[in-house]
Amino acid sequence: MMHSRSLTLRPLAALLGALFLLPVQQAAAQNTAQQEEGLKLYGGIGWGYDDNLLRVPDNRPAFRGKRSDRWRQAEAGVVYNKRISRQRVAVVAKVSKTSFDFFKQLDYDGRDLQATWFWELGNKFEGQAGTLYERTLAPYTDFFSDQRNVRERRREWFDAGWKLHPSWKVRTGYTRDRYEYELLTQRWNNRTEKAVEAELVYRPRSGNSVGLVARRVKGEYPFRRPSTASGLTDDFTQDELKLRVNYYLGGSTTLQALGGYVRREQPSFGEGKTSGFNGRLNAYFQPRGKVSYNASVWREFAPIESTIVSYTLNRGASVGATWQATGKIKVDATAAYEQRAYEARRAFSGSGSLEDSLKTASLRATWQATRKIAVSAGWQHQARSGSQALNLGKFDANTVMVNANVLF
């Protein structure tokens, strides 16, 4: 049932632009693969309230004099999971309808589809191949508008691993992501990102592992921004050489790290090149009691849709805890902080800092009423410090959500 709950929250989370979104697409396929085989039907309903739905800065007037709004969501879908010999197929398909009380122009129909083939060939070859389609409302965290901006994402990937030795493995992968925005004023953000990578992994008998990862990402933007008269484009190339480590400290603590050297080339003021250390460290602690903990720190380059800046250097940290109160009740709490340093697209003559920060906190309780029915209620807070130099104002927002779903 956890897979169904993540699907229920995903369109809403995309709208709110939460900092600590989990990789729900990959988790969905993994959770589906762990469910019983066969075809399952899924249905859900949800209700939400946000006191600053469009993330209006404190120093700007609200759209039509109103910041808050309520919405309702209904969704239905299928979950298919089947093993055929050594092969496994996992499919999740969902349609949803979201309706707002005041900002009715934001009403939209969402669609989600993911199909994954977990393949094996003999005793030495294994991997994944899959496709994903997602249609949802884009976040308004850095976009000031009351117009509907539906975003479509298409993703295809292939991953293959070859076991050279009981302790050694070679892995290679290819991923293609394409983003398209409905709103004409946001079409400059349409892009395609292609990534290829190769990894050499060493895994001794202890179960720990270390891998050397080489990766290249190329981004292509078909539309040029009207403000870039100098001919600068948003296309970029990013090369990475990182070390991936999975380390188990006893039976209750796990450390996962991926970090190393990254060089990014993207048109901007000056040489348009930047490089340095990028990485992410995750820690998980699960003692024998009912509470488990997790924490992360990161330093990563990231593209951003702006006419003033071309990318950001994000540095952040997050903590979380899960309390299994009873066999049917679980409570999750998370908090995250991220500082974003902007790289100027052109010579910047303004005054003030080219940095801002995002803070997010959330609390959610889930009641597994029966084996097939789950009810959840959650609260989320998001705040941006803003940057006067970049015309990004400060805002605060609080959200309340209630969802119920059934898988049968």
Side-chain angles (χ1 to χ4, degrees):
M1 294 295 292
M2 289 182 64
H3 165 68
S4 299
R5 288 196 295 273
S6 66
L7 282 178
T8 301
L9 293 173
R10 184 171 64 192
L12 180 59
L15 167 63
L16 300 178
L19 279 174
F20 46 88
L21 287 179
L22 296 174
V24 293
Q25 292 82 13
Q26 297 178 2
Q30 295 172 357
N31 290 337
T32 301
Q34 297 173 359
Q35 294 176 358
E36 298 177 0
E37 291 194 358
L39 181 68
K40 304 290 184 180
L41 301 179
Y42 164 80
I45 56 174
W47 173 89
Y49 169 81
D50 194 295
D51 63 7
N52 189 4
L53 181 71
L54 298 173
R55 301 303 185 254
V56 178
D58 295 346
N59 60 351
R60 303 189 70 167
F63 293 102
R64 290 183 283 167
K66 190 172 178 62
R67 294 173 182 261
S68 64
D69 203 357
R70 298 180 177 86
W71 66 87
R72 300 170 305 281
Q73 185 180 81
E75 55 190 11
V78 297
V79 178
Y80 178 72
N81 183 47
K82 182 66 175 179
R83 174 176 287 279
I84 304 174
S85 185
R86 291 187 173 186
Q87 318 305 312
R88 181 180 291 276
V89 177
V91 179
V92 180
K94 179 176 72 70
V95 295
S96 63
K97 187 174 185 63
T98 303
S99 302
F100 294 85
D101 287 352
F102 184 78
F103 295 103
K104 295 184 180 298
Q105 72 274 17
L106 301 181
D107 293 356
Y108 75 100
D109 297 328
R111 290 189 288 272
D112 297 84
L113 171 65
Q114 177 172 328
T116 308
W117 170 32
F118 301 88
W119 60 270
E120 292 186 24
L121 182 61
N123 296 322
K124 294 187 177 182
F125 298 92
E126 63 181 0
Q128 297 182 25
T131 183
L132 175 144
Y133 171 76
E134 180 182 270
R135 185 180 191 271
T136 188
L137 200 60
Y140 289 85
T141 306
D142 297 304
F143 174 54
F144 185 69
S145 174
D146 66 343
Q147 301 180 62
R148 190 180 79 168
N149 187 28
V150 171
R151 180 183 63 197
E152 292 186 348
R153 178 192 179 196
R154 293 173 174 84
R155 184 173 192 256
E156 299 86 34
W157 71 91
F158 179 80
D159 180 279
W162 177 25
K163 297 179 181 178
L164 301 171
H165 179 274
S167 298
W168 291 91
K169 180 179 180 180
V170 174
R171 187 187 64 83
T172 184
Y174 171 80
T175 303
R176 179 179 181 270
D177 281 286
R178 186 172 65 177
Y179 299 85
E180 294 181 342
Y181 294 81
E182 175 188 53
L183 203 59
L184 288 179
T185 57
Q186 282 285 291
R187 69 173 184 169
W188 326 112
N189 301 322
N190 292 358
R191 64 190 184 275
T192 299
E193 298 179 6
K194 301 177 182 178
V196 293
E197 65 177 71
E199 180 178 11
L200 177 63
V201 184
Y202 173 66
R203 186 190 300 272
R205 293 182 180 180
S206 63
N208 301 321
S209 67
V210 58
L212 182 64
V213 185
R215 187 170 186 258
R216 164 167 281 198
V217 184
K218 292 184 69 69
E220 299 175 355
Y221 290 73
F223 299 104
R224 301 297 179 245
R225 300 177 191 272
S227 61
T228 55
S230 62
L232 295 179
T233 72
D234 292 300
D235 297 351
F236 70 90
T237 300
Q238 182 166 305
D239 294 312
E240 307 174 4
L241 185 62
K242 295 181 177 180
L243 200 65
R244 189 197 312 271
V245 178
N246 290 289
Y247 189 68
Y248 303 96
L249 297 171
S252 59
T253 304
T254 302
L255 296 178
Q256 296 178 344
L258 177 64
Y261 177 79
V262 173
R263 182 182 63 191
R264 185 181 184 90
E265 297 183 6
Q266 186 169 9
S268 62
F269 175 63
E271 297 181 356
K273 299 179 181 179
T274 189
S275 61
F277 175 81
N278 270 209
R280 180 178 290 264
L281 173 64
N282 301 323
Y284 306 92
F285 177 58
Q286 188 166 2
R288 295 183 179 181
K290 295 184 177 182
V291 182
S292 59
Y293 308 90
N294 63 82
S296 299
V297 293
W298 61 88
R299 185 183 192 272
E300 299 171 334
F301 293 123
I304 187 170
E305 293 79 15
S306 169
T307 59
I308 301 176
V309 297
S310 55
Y311 56 85
T312 64
L313 173 61
N314 298 338
R315 291 167 291 184
S318 67
V319 293
T322 298
W323 175 37
Q324 193 68 50
T326 70
K328 293 186 175 183
I329 298 177
K330 183 180 69 171
V331 180
D332 297 288
T334 58
Y337 172 83
E338 184 172 60
Q339 185 179 51
R340 305 185 295 181
Y342 298 87
E343 179 70 19
R345 179 181 299 281
R346 56 181 181 268
F348 185 75
S349 58
S351 61
S353 174
L354 290 176
E355 294 184 351
D356 73 350
S357 62
L358 288 168
K359 299 178 182 178
T360 311
S362 72
L363 182 66
R364 185 177 69 185
T366 303
W367 174 39
Q368 192 72 45
T370 69
R371 184 171 174 270
K372 297 181 178 181
I373 299 175
V375 179
S376 64
W379 163 82
Q380 183 183 71
H381 174 75
Q382 186 182 42
R384 184 180 68 192
S385 65
S387 170
Q388 184 178 1
L390 296 172
N391 197 29
L392 295 176
K394 175 182 178 296
F395 73 72
D396 289 274
N398 293 281
T399 310
V400 178
M401 300 165 288
V402 178
N403 294 277
N405 60 69
V406 58
L407 185 68
F408 53 92

